[in-house]
Amino acid sequence: MQWAFMDRNGHEAVGRPENPVPDPVSPLGRLAVALRNGRRGAGLSFTVLSERTRSVSPGTLQRAASGAVLPKLDVVQAFARACDMNVDEITRLWHAAYRGSLGGRSASRTREPAPRPHLVSDMHGLCVALEELRQANGAPSFRMMERRARVTGKELSRSTAFRITKQKRPPASTDCLEAFLVACEVPPRDRTVWFDAWLRVQRQAALARQEADGREELKQLESVVADNSRGQVSQETAVRMLRKAGFDARERYRRFDAPWTVECMQCTATLRIRLSDVVLAQASCPECPKLTEHVREAWAELLTNRSGLLSRRLVRALRAATVLPARLQRSHLDVPVFVADRTTLRTLQSPAWHPALEEALRRHVQRPFYLDVLLVLDYDTMPAHRNGHRHRRLAKAEGLVDSPLETSPARPDRVNGTAKHAGAPGRNAAAAPDAVGTASGMPIVWKPTSNSGA
């Protein structure tokens, strides 16, 4: 079958028959059929059509209508204008063909998928998205992009456009990004999402640089505290540092900045910390303050005597006492109670109020425990037998640093690493004495009670 066209002199010319469109029902095939129909309706040869476009060669126009490859958007638009076709309709067909043919490439050579602008999270993804934008807007040449940007007063060299799209180097500034968007003919209303993506990428890059600097600082810190020539902390040294900070290791030490599963030696809570945080004194157990707060809440409830089981004498003695920071060691809950005078001590030595305290604690401390109430007055006069040594250790570890809930007995102060009562100079206080000194210097021996039965 032959087609008749008019030559430049107005005479009818017989052209060589065109090859059939490979797949006329595909998006690329429909674009090619539309271009062929438009040229047939205009009765133009490719030579005359090229003269009308003033910039596109006859061979390029012929390939655009072949249906074998996806032409550039500006080529099909020039083709449509030269044939007096609907440019908007041809543009719509081109975009459909672009989406269907993966930007003009064969299906076997699929390229890296481009994220949408609002999903861009790193520099590489931004460059891939910008290249996708360039392809979706007609894949203009870098020379044409430079020319388009210059027309609008923007600066975008061909080498810069090449680095962004091919070498995956993001725009260095928002002005450079705007010039790229102008070169891709992105309208102003659609540029904001790209600016947001660029700012997000810059923030991520800054964070990455900070993390790199932090890793370098940690490496230097480890070399300072390391016990070998390699500049790395050994297993033995790491465990020793961990125990000094109040934790027991639950797994083998791996790395200075790696999370490490440990157990709090005070409340037995399991948590993950880094040895670097231990060295920087930034590792603490989040459960210990909660335990102390729960014990304070239970103590406040005990003072209200809601159940009515406590006598007035016991309530007055409890109001004159102070609950100190509690310790939960394994399943034993030690509740130290500081008493300000021996009258209060004699009253509270009776375990009659312990069940009421335990009942209040059960409502606030959400874990099983055996209660051990430890009265605190003076550990200098405590005998070493029974629990004396343990009580002394608890006293030194706890410190008399808490104020009472209602009354205000003299606040203890730290003196030379031990706890000294401010109201009794020269006398040290500790947890749960087995004996309390009297005015005559003779100890009053008593046994601390525990609801655990121990």
Side-chain angles (χ1 to χ4, degrees):
M1 181 178 181
Q2 294 182 336
W3 302 101
F5 301 102
M6 303 299 293
D7 61 14
R8 66 185 63 185
N9 297 321
H11 299 97
E12 184 179 274
V14 178
R16 186 179 63 183
E18 293 182 290
N19 294 327
V21 176
D23 187 4
V25 297
S26 67
L28 181 59
R30 285 196 291 270
L31 173 63
V33 170
L35 293 176
R36 290 187 180 193
N37 291 338
R39 187 173 71 93
R40 185 188 309 161
L44 302 175
S45 67
F46 287 112
T47 302
V48 176
L49 190 61
S50 175
E51 291 177 353
R52 287 196 176 190
T53 62
R54 297 182 180 181
S55 60
V56 186
S57 66
T60 301
L61 294 171
Q62 188 174 9
R63 284 192 297 271
S66 67
V69 295
L70 180 72
K72 292 184 178 181
L73 179 59
D74 55 348
V75 172
V76 297
Q77 289 176 340
F79 194 118
R81 282 191 290 267
C83 296
D84 295 327
M85 300 170 63
N86 188 332
V87 178
D88 292 337
E89 176 64 18
I90 292 298
T91 301
R92 185 189 66 79
L93 290 175
W94 183 91
H95 282 288
Y98 169 77
R99 290 190 296 269
S101 62
L102 300 175
R105 302 185 182 191
S106 63
S108 61
R109 297 175 57 193
T110 59
R111 63 184 176 186
E112 180 181 0
R116 295 182 179 180
H118 65 279
L119 297 178
V120 168
S121 60
D122 55 23
M123 293 184 178
H124 181 79
L126 176 62
C127 293
V128 172
L130 287 174
E131 170 62 11
E132 178 76 10
L133 174 69
R134 172 176 168 268
Q135 294 291 336
N137 286 275
S141 65
F142 299 132
R143 187 184 300 275
M144 180 175 291
M145 294 179 68
E146 181 182 33
R147 187 162 53 247
R148 287 178 179 177
R150 188 176 299 159
V151 169
T152 60
K154 304 295 181 181
E155 289 295 331
L156 180 70
S157 64
R158 286 171 287 172
S159 59
T160 300
F162 176 82
R163 285 194 297 268
I164 292 174
T165 57
K166 302 302 181 182
Q167 297 182 353
K168 300 299 182 286
R169 298 181 185 178
S173 63
T174 54
D175 290 338
C176 181
L177 174 63
E178 186 175 12
F180 189 96
L181 298 177
V182 168
C184 293
E185 297 183 330
V186 177
R189 65 177 180 276
D190 296 335
R191 298 174 190 171
T192 303
V193 65
W194 291 101
F195 292 139
D196 293 341
W198 185 87
L199 292 173
R200 187 165 57 252
V201 165
Q202 294 300 318
R203 287 194 295 267
Q204 292 292 338
L207 290 176
R209 288 192 296 268
Q210 291 177 3
E211 291 179 358
D213 294 341
R215 286 192 295 269
E216 184 62 29
E217 292 177 0
L218 287 180
K219 186 180 297 184
Q220 296 176 2
L221 176 63
E222 183 179 13
S223 64
V224 172
V225 300
D227 55 346
N228 53 53
S229 59
R230 295 179 302 169
Q232 297 178 352
V233 177
S234 64
Q235 167 78 19
E236 294 74 15
T237 303
V239 172
R240 186 168 61 252
M241 291 179 178
L242 192 67
R243 290 189 63 82
K244 188 175 181 180
F247 300 100
D248 270 333
R250 297 295 301 273
E251 63 179 354
R252 187 169 181 80
Y253 169 73
R254 292 179 298 166
R255 203 172 61 248
F256 190 68
D257 59 342
W260 195 4
T261 303
V262 301
E263 180 182 89
C264 178
M265 296 172 61
Q266 178 169 331
C267 68
T268 70
T270 300
L271 61 153
R272 288 175 66 80
I273 61 176
R274 294 176 173 85
L275 186 61
S276 57
D277 294 334
V278 172
V279 174
L280 294 172
Q282 296 176 351
S284 60
C285 176
E287 297 298 325
C288 289
K290 296 179 183 178
L291 174 65
T292 299
E293 184 62 29
H294 293 330
V295 172
R296 287 175 180 171
E297 293 171 355
W299 184 263
E301 181 180 324
L302 177 69
L303 295 180
T304 62
N305 194 18
R306 183 184 304 174
S307 62
L309 300 177
L310 303 178
S311 64
R312 292 184 179 181
R313 180 165 172 264
L314 272 176
V315 172
R316 283 195 300 269
L318 290 172
R319 290 172 184 252
T322 303
V323 61
L324 301 177
R327 293 171 61 90
L328 182 60
Q329 295 181 311
R330 307 306 176 186
S331 59
H332 290 273
L333 176 61
D334 295 326
V335 180
V337 178
F338 177 75
V339 290
D341 55 79
R342 290 172 180 78
T343 302
T344 303
L345 174 65
R346 285 192 293 270
T347 303
L348 296 184
Q349 279 182 322
S350 170
W353 58 281
H354 291 181
L357 174 61
E358 182 177 7
E359 182 181 353
L361 287 170
R362 298 286 180 194
R363 285 192 289 269
H364 293 274
V365 180
Q366 302 298 323
R367 64 177 64 184
F369 62 84
Y370 295 101
L371 178 62
D372 197 356
V373 178
L374 308 173
L375 299 181
V376 178
L377 181 64
D378 189 342
Y379 69 70
D380 274 349
T381 59
M382 288 193 305
H385 65 281
R386 295 181 184 172
N387 292 327
H389 290 301
R390 176 170 178 264
H391 297 156
R392 273 191 280 270
R393 287 196 304 270
L394 287 175
K396 291 181 179 180
E398 294 291 355
L400 303 182
V401 295
D402 239 26
S403 60
L405 291 175
E406 296 197 10
T407 61
S408 299
R411 185 180 180 86
D413 297 324
R414 290 269 180 189
V415 179
N416 297 328
T418 60
K420 180 179 287 186
H421 193 281
R427 302 185 64 186
N428 294 335
D434 287 319
V436 179
T438 63
S440 62
M442 295 299 293
I444 300 175
V445 179
W446 61 282
K447 183 178 181 180
T449 57
S450 169
N451 288 332
S452 65

